[in-house]
Amino acid sequence: MRTPPRRLARRLYQDRWAYLFLLPSLAFFSVFFLVPVAWGAVLSQLDYRAFGSRWVGLDNYRGVLSDWLFWRSLANNLYYAAGVVPLWLGKALFVAAVIFPFRKLFQNLYKTAFYLPHVTSAVIISLIWLWIYNPPFGLLNYILKTPGFAWLGNTLTAMPALIAMQVIMGGGSTIVLISAAMGSIPGDYYEAAQIDGATKVQQFVRITLPLLKPTLLYLLVMGTISSFQVFTNVYLMTRGGPQFSTITIGYLIYETAFTYYEFGAASAMAMVLFAIVFAVAVVQFRWLSSDVEY
């Protein structure tokens, strides 16, 4: 049923303060997200030059999709996401489940400890892990008694080393979100389950996990998007090597744009990455989304 114009205008006037307060956020979102995305879409169809850009249509996309290095970087991205997202989410879920029964004081203490890496610069974390993986002087080789082994210089271990770093250092904000979601589950369900003789594991599997589904879906989608955007670790620790074994699309876009100054091709890669991440998010939502009512 269509809303009459006069009624719509009256409703907009009644909600004018809400729209007024939302305006700054909308302005920032438009300037720093929508405009760059729109400009990137235009740029992806240009042979961009500082003087005299030329319209080439879909040629940049054809070039990108026929480039073996793009497909290699996409495969590396999938490898990275498949390694990081399940382990990072599983770790956060495990830690949240372990600390949740503690008293509030100890819960906050553990949450703070796990959250600290989240507020630390990715550059600092990468430099620390460069030392940990250092072949002659690194902590990891000292512990494993494997002096001289180059974890980041071997095609078989470079990507797992990056994944391990991300899983160990990440998850702080995820633990906080999962703990908050656990706290919102009514205690009546657990009391009823205890009366029926359910064990702690059965309560977790049958009650906690299903009711955490919306939160886990959100974290899964955001974690996947974040994994496809990985750049800082690769740039600082491996530069995509050895032998392109850790090159990701984010790093390839950077290298194409700012090393070879092919902004059109780099923008086409960014648009393809946007489409891939969007498709993955849609699939995840359709697979896991369902309404949960407490």
Side-chain angles (χ1 to χ4, degrees):
M1 182 178 175
R2 297 181 62 183
T3 306
R6 186 174 293 178
R7 191 176 167 188
L8 179 63
R10 188 168 61 244
R11 189 167 179 180
L12 288 174
Y13 180 77
Q14 287 173 346
D15 297 336
R16 63 189 182 284
W17 291 110
Y19 291 116
L20 189 64
F21 282 112
L22 286 173
L23 200 57
S25 298
L26 180 63
F28 276 104
F29 181 73
S30 300
V31 170
F32 293 106
F33 182 76
L34 293 182
V35 172
V37 169
W39 176 237
V42 173
L43 205 58
S44 68
Q45 300 185 61
L46 294 176
D47 179 14
Y48 185 81
R49 295 284 183 271
F51 301 100
S53 298
R54 187 169 58 89
W55 182 266
V56 295
L58 299 178
D59 284 356
N60 285 327
Y61 289 94
R62 293 191 192 96
V64 166
L65 295 177
S66 61
D67 184 0
W68 68 270
L69 191 54
F70 175 78
W71 292 106
R72 177 65 187 271
S73 63
L74 178 60
N76 286 340
N77 256 126
L78 291 171
Y79 180 14
Y80 183 83
V84 167
V85 176
L87 292 176
W88 150 81
L89 197 53
K91 167 199 159 187
L93 189 61
F94 175 76
V95 172
V98 169
I99 67 174
F100 187 70
F102 292 175
R103 294 170 60 184
K104 210 68 178 173
L105 176 67
F106 291 106
Q107 273 191 41
N108 292 336
L109 186 67
Y110 281 109
K111 285 180 195 173
T112 304
F114 280 104
Y115 196 79
L116 273 179
H118 190 70
V119 296
T120 306
S121 166
V123 175
I124 295 174
I125 291 175
S126 297
L127 292 177
I128 291 172
W129 279 84
L130 271 176
W131 169 72
I132 291 174
Y133 288 138
N134 188 286
F137 309 111
L139 180 65
L140 186 59
N141 280 336
Y142 175 77
I143 293 173
L144 297 179
K145 309 293 183 192
T146 53
F149 186 79
W151 294 91
L152 298 174
N154 189 303
T155 55
L156 294 177
T157 57
M159 184 59 86
L162 293 180
I163 291 172
M165 185 198 83
Q166 188 60 37
V167 171
I168 292 171
M169 300 306 295
S173 59
T174 311
I175 292 169
V176 173
L177 280 174
I178 293 176
S179 299
M182 284 180 171
S184 66
I185 299 174
D188 299 348
Y189 294 158
Y190 295 105
E191 291 173 8
Q194 285 173 1
I195 292 172
D196 289 340
T199 63
K200 291 288 183 186
V201 174
Q202 288 173 327
Q203 291 175 34
F204 182 76
V205 173
R206 301 286 184 180
I207 298 173
T208 307
L209 273 183
L211 295 179
L212 286 179
K213 202 172 175 182
T215 306
L216 295 178
L217 171 62
Y218 167 78
L219 293 171
L220 180 66
V221 173
M222 297 308 293
T224 305
I225 292 172
S226 176
S227 296
F228 272 93
Q229 293 174 334
V230 61
F231 171 75
T232 308
N233 306 346
V234 175
Y235 177 75
L236 289 173
M237 298 178 71
T238 63
R239 298 280 177 135
Q243 298 176 27
F244 305 111
S245 61
T246 61
I247 193 168
T248 58
I249 297 181
Y251 182 76
L252 185 61
I253 290 171
Y254 166 81
E255 204 172 43
T256 305
F258 299 105
T259 301
Y260 302 108
Y261 301 105
E262 295 180 3
F263 293 103
S267 299
M269 289 179 194
M271 290 296 112
V272 173
L273 176 62
F274 175 79
I276 292 170
V277 171
F278 182 78
V280 171
V282 169
V283 169
Q284 288 175 331
F285 268 110
R286 289 184 67 86
W287 177 39
L288 288 173
S289 64
S290 62
D291 294 329
V292 176
E293 295 182 4
Y294 292 163

